[in-house]
Amino acid sequence: MKNHDNRKSKPGRPNAAAAKVRKNILPVRLSDEDLLALHEKSQRVGVSFSTFLREAGLGRELPRPVPKLNLDTYMELSRIGRNLNQLVKSIHEGKVQFLRNEDAETVHELAGIIPLIRKEVRGK
């Protein structure tokens, strides 16, 4: 008999609790106009159609629509954050020698602040 205690767990997301599994489907009749309006609202707040209907139907707070300017800023901050992370990695690996200690500290600080600013821009 094999000992299965040393098996590695399967990669991926762990199974959800049975109470949380969404297995029920609710057919709803809508006019074309209502369906289009609901789809547009779900896209404006940036959630799937199912999530939008579920959250709105249960009276939960929906995310606020994010202005295009904020999304552009968010994307630019993502690019800056990636560049900072690459610089931090190079500093840790000793590949970057030209930075003074205080400059390296500033880079580390900025790399930690960027995700916070991105959250704020997204309205979370």
Side-chain angles (χ1 to χ4, degrees), residues 6-77:
N6 293 333
R7 282 189 297 178
K8 289 185 178 178
S9 63
K10 287 166 99 177
R13 181 187 274 179
N15 291 336
K20 294 279 185 185
V21 175
R22 295 184 183 116
K23 60 185 177 199
N24 299 300
I25 298 172
L26 177 66
V28 177
R29 293 185 187 273
L30 298 168
S31 68
D32 291 342
E33 188 177 292
D34 289 345
L35 180 65
L36 181 61
L38 289 170
H39 269 292
E40 287 174 353
K41 283 185 176 188
S42 72
Q43 288 174 343
R44 267 199 308 267
V45 296
V47 297
S48 72
F49 186 62
S50 294
T51 299
F52 177 80
L53 291 177
R54 185 173 42 256
E55 299 301 308
L58 293 171
R60 295 179 183 153
E61 187 175 334
L62 291 164
R64 292 178 295 160
V66 179
K68 180 166 177 19
L69 176 64
N70 284 21
L71 287 177
D72 293 342
T73 304
Y74 181 84
M75 296 306 293
E76 184 61 27
L77 285 168

Side-chain angles (χ1 to χ4, degrees), residues 79-98:
R79 284 188 280 279
I80 293 168
R82 280 193 299 276
N83 289 339
L84 279 171
N85 285 335
Q86 290 171 358
L87 185 55
V88 167
K89 182 179 179 187
S90 295
I91 290 169
H92 286 296
E93 292 174 348
K95 293 179 181 177
V96 176
Q97 300 294 325
F98 63 88

